[in-house]
Amino acid sequence: MKPRLSAILFAFICTLTFLLPVLWMTVIALKQNAEKINSFVDWFSPPYTFDNLVRILRDTMLLQWLSNSLIVAVLHSLLVIVLCSLTAYALSKLNLPGGKWIYLLIIAGMMIPVEVIAIAQFQVAKNLHLLNTLTVLIIPGAAAPFTVIVLKVFMDAIPKELMESAEIDGAGKFTIFWRMIIPIGSSSLFALGILAFLQSWNSFLWPFLVITDMTKFTLPVGIPTLLSSFTVDYVTPMAISLLSSLPAIIFFLIFQKKIVKGIAFTGIKG
């Protein structure tokens, strides 16, 4: 019983550690006046109000930026999964000429910081007239070396005999990929898609460099400009943070089982 009790106590402390900032953000965002919050007891002292949230949604472009972030993150993660799964399949199962050298180049790509190639990417985007568009936020970064490596390792573990039996039954390379590889690796693909979604959702440097039109801002770029236009207080920042984090929290609550299952499955196979 003692180990079980200690495990429960440890889990409770860890949960409280992660929930405390969220609770603090939520309570402060719903308070009427930050000047009346002088102690921890004041957190739970009514009144509470949704006026701060309504005011921000009514008077700012937060919803537009939220929409932009959702569009960019969803399309970016889908593009990452499509490109990287096809690349991993070609490297793992199709005996691609020079495949080992291509794989080494992809691994080397992980060692290049984003800041190093940002200027070159900016010049390419400018020449293609993609600046101030959502497209420029979706396509760059879609070739993710980490995702390719994880998927290739996973596909290497699939027995060749399984593919050979499918070929004997008349299945082509793409049919095997679509009807056999994708269903087997759906949990891994989902987990890697979530990682790509979160990476795009939190990205700041690249959107900050290529977007100057406020209607095309994403949340990480738009929020700092929003904060600078208000008087100095910490109710407004907390209300903005609460509104901007709600989609990610809801998304996690809906898909938490698939996310945990996918990450665990990827870890075992990788």
Side-chain angles (χ1 to χ4, degrees):
M1 292 296 291
K2 286 185 178 179
R4 181 176 176 82
L5 181 61
S6 61
I8 293 174
L9 182 61
F10 179 74
F12 176 76
I13 294 173
C14 290
T15 303
L16 189 62
T17 303
F18 281 98
L19 286 181
L20 195 59
V22 178
L23 178 64
W24 179 46
M25 175 181 68
T26 305
V27 170
I28 300 298
L30 298 179
K31 295 292 285 186
Q32 278 186 326
N33 191 349
E35 295 178 356
K36 296 181 179 178
I37 305 172
N38 298 316
S39 66
F40 183 75
V41 178
D42 293 334
W43 287 20
F44 305 99
S45 302
Y48 298 105
T49 178
F50 289 98
D51 289 347
N52 295 322
L53 306 181
V54 173
R55 175 174 57 87
I56 291 169
L57 292 176
R58 184 191 58 211
D59 299 340
T60 69
M61 300 179 67
L62 194 70
L63 283 178
Q64 178 67 46
W65 300 337
L66 180 63
S67 173
N68 293 340
S69 288
L70 279 175
I71 292 172
V72 170
V74 170
L75 294 181
H76 174 79
S77 56
L78 289 175
L79 191 59
V80 166
I81 290 303
V82 171
L83 288 179
C84 294
S85 60
L86 287 171
T87 304
Y89 179 62
L91 292 173
S92 176
K93 300 298 182 187
L94 299 187
N95 297 319
L96 196 67
K100 291 183 179 179
W101 292 105
I102 295 174
Y103 186 54
L104 288 175
L105 285 175
I106 291 174
I107 294 175
M110 290 183 62
M111 304 175 187
I112 302 175
V114 176
E115 292 80 2
V116 174
I117 60 175
I119 295 176
Q121 282 187 333
F122 179 87
Q123 193 61 44
V124 171
K126 182 181 178 182
N127 293 337
L128 294 175
H129 305 288
L130 292 177
L131 297 181
N132 280 319
T133 65
L134 296 185
T135 305
V136 78
L137 304 179
I138 296 170
I139 295 178
F146 175 76
T147 305
V148 173
I149 292 169
V150 172
L151 289 176
K152 181 184 180 302
V153 172
F154 165 75
M155 292 179 188
D156 286 342
I158 299 177
K160 291 183 178 178
E161 292 77 9
L162 198 62
M163 296 184 59
E164 290 172 353
S165 62
E167 287 179 341
I168 292 173
D169 291 339
K173 300 296 184 184
F174 185 77
T175 302
I176 293 173
F177 170 76
W178 183 249
R179 295 192 175 182
M180 183 179 294
I181 302 296
I182 293 297
I184 292 175
S186 58
S187 297
S188 301
L189 291 171
F190 194 87
L192 292 168
I194 293 298
L195 293 178
F197 180 90
L198 294 177
Q199 183 183 25
S200 176
W201 182 270
N202 295 320
S203 178
F204 173 76
L205 177 62
W206 181 244
F208 178 74
L209 291 175
V210 297
I211 301 294
T212 55
D213 183 355
M214 290 190 70
T215 61
K216 302 295 175 56
F217 278 181
T218 55
L219 281 174
V221 180
I223 287 176
T225 63
L226 195 63
L227 296 177
S228 63
S229 63
F230 284 88
T231 56
V232 178
D233 70 315
Y234 57 94
V235 170
T236 300
M238 289 299 181
I240 294 172
S241 300
L242 177 63
L243 288 170
S244 60
S245 59
L246 275 179
I249 294 174
I250 294 172
F251 185 82
F252 177 79
L253 291 177
I254 294 174
F255 296 105
Q256 58 177 322
K257 288 185 179 179
K258 290 188 176 180
I259 293 171
V260 174
K261 181 181 176 183
I263 291 174
F265 191 72
T266 303
I268 292 172
K269 294 298 182 184

